[in-house]
Amino acid sequence: MLGGRTPQQFMAEHWQKRPLFVPDAVPEAAAVIDVETLLDLAQHPEAESRKISQTQQGWQLDQGPFRARQLAGRQAWTVLVQGINHFLPEADALLRRFGFITYARLDDVMASYATPGGGVGPHYDSYDVFLIQARGTRRWEISAQTDRDLVPNQPLKIMADFRAQESFDCRPGDLLYLPPGYAHHGVALDDCITLSVGFRAPSNAELAREFLLWMAERVELPGLYADPNLAATDRPAAMPEAMVASVAATLAGVAWSADDVRRFLAQFLSEPKPHVVFEAPEDELNERDFVRAARASGVALDLQTLMLYDQGRVYCNGEPWLCSPQTVEALCRLADLRYLTADELEAPVAAALYPAYQAGHVHLAAAVD
Ligand code: SIN
Ligand code: CO
């Protein structure tokens, strides 16, 4: 998939550094999604979708879900659906091909459908992205330019002065990797589906805010504010200096360890996006029957489940998974592979999976589709 490079070479030479074009890298991309499925998903209330068109007045951005008639018509437009891997096992399988990059960075697969001439304009993204052609031909022009001026008053970021330096006609199976901030402009030459495997990079401000919220529930500072030396005042509305100094000294005692950072980060990065909902199994089995069934068929993670592990701790969908030393190894394997076969499922492991099965985070393998 990486044009003869090992994952190690790709990470050292291209990741976050320079683009890579690989013709015919992912032949199975064509089978991931067809136009009908994509347009169906754009009408689905649980899928995040957008439609982008260029009108005489400028660019137009509409948010889904759409009605079928909004997706008809032949003018040049693009419909984009985020997170198709939550709906389509084939898209999940494509995402997992990028498992040489930590799941802590992996985001989702977006699919875009463009009619001839359609595209989202010249722009840059803040994330690493693998653009994989699934249908038709898209001409990608790319540029290392540092001039980032945007066209003013547009509902999406369009570069004002895009100057193409390289151009690739991407056909089904072709892959183009772009590092964050690399300018690109894709135009559909015919009916065209492009898949984007995207990576996430939280902003430092978001990390700090989320970490402090996480810490807020754990901070332990015993005692109560006290001021035995408080002096009488004739300006009672003025904040006492001694109080400010005393509270500053108390707050300096709020501390966290590297272990707090570890636990926060794995929990935060395994948190599903806000719109994600898990469904409890229909005809829920009791624990004994679940263990028996799991040991007969194996289990698979729900397509929406995010699972990470770190130093013997396992995190699933934003929660630490309290597991015993007996089960931790199998759960880490489940997190990596996203399934466990019947042979791997010893009874204590299957029993440990029962609450996740009840919550809809894990399914019996036979029921995964
Ligand atoms: C598209 O697929 O049309 C846009 C993807 C991108 O430019 O990131
Ligand atoms: Co882009």
Side-chain angles (χ1 to χ4, degrees), residues 11-93:
M11 297 310 277
E13 289 159 24
H14 293 274
W15 177 252
Q16 301 239 305
K17 298 171 199 72
R18 58 181 149 274
L20 176 68
F21 174 66
V22 184
D24 206 23
V26 193
E28 75 272 22
V32 167
I33 190 167
D34 55 26
V35 177
E36 196 188 342
T37 310
L38 197 155
L39 295 181
D40 273 353
L41 283 177
Q43 298 169 56
H44 196 299
E46 275 167 33
E48 261 178 89
S49 58
R50 288 167 292 157
K51 180 178 169 185
I52 293 173
S53 33
Q54 205 173 3
T55 66
Q56 294 200 319
Q57 291 75 43
W59 291 88
Q60 186 177 330
L61 169 67
D62 299 296
Q63 301 287 351
F66 297 97
R67 292 173 189 281
R69 64 177 159 72
Q70 294 174 285
L71 303 173
R74 299 307 301 166
Q75 71 279 45
W77 51 246
T78 300
V79 173
L80 306 108
V81 185
Q82 209 68 51
I84 62 163
N85 50 300
H86 287 178
F87 301 93
L88 308 172
E90 296 80 2
D92 182 69

Side-chain angles (χ1 to χ4, degrees), residues 276-326:
V276 167
V277 216
F278 291 96
E279 277 172 34
E282 280 174 35
D283 303 327
E284 184 183 300
L285 301 176
N286 65 33
E287 181 170 335
R288 212 189 52 179
D289 290 347
F290 169 77
V291 169
R292 192 179 303 136
R295 298 191 70 201
S297 74
V299 296
L301 295 183
D302 185 81
L303 292 177
Q304 303 188 106
T305 286
L306 298 177
M307 202 170 167
L308 295 168
Y309 58 84
D310 179 47
Q311 295 199 330
R313 298 188 190 116
V314 178
Y315 302 81
C316 182
N317 294 325
E319 300 288 340
W321 189 325
L322 303 173
C323 46
S324 66
Q326 208 182 0

Side-chain angles (χ1 to χ4, degrees), residues 78 80 110 112 120 123 125 129 131 138 140 184 194 196:
T78 300
L80 306 108
M110 179 183 82
S112 72
V120 304
H123 67 281
D125 300 304
V129 66
L131 298 159
R138 184 185 291 270
W140 284 108
H184 51 290
T194 304
S196 305

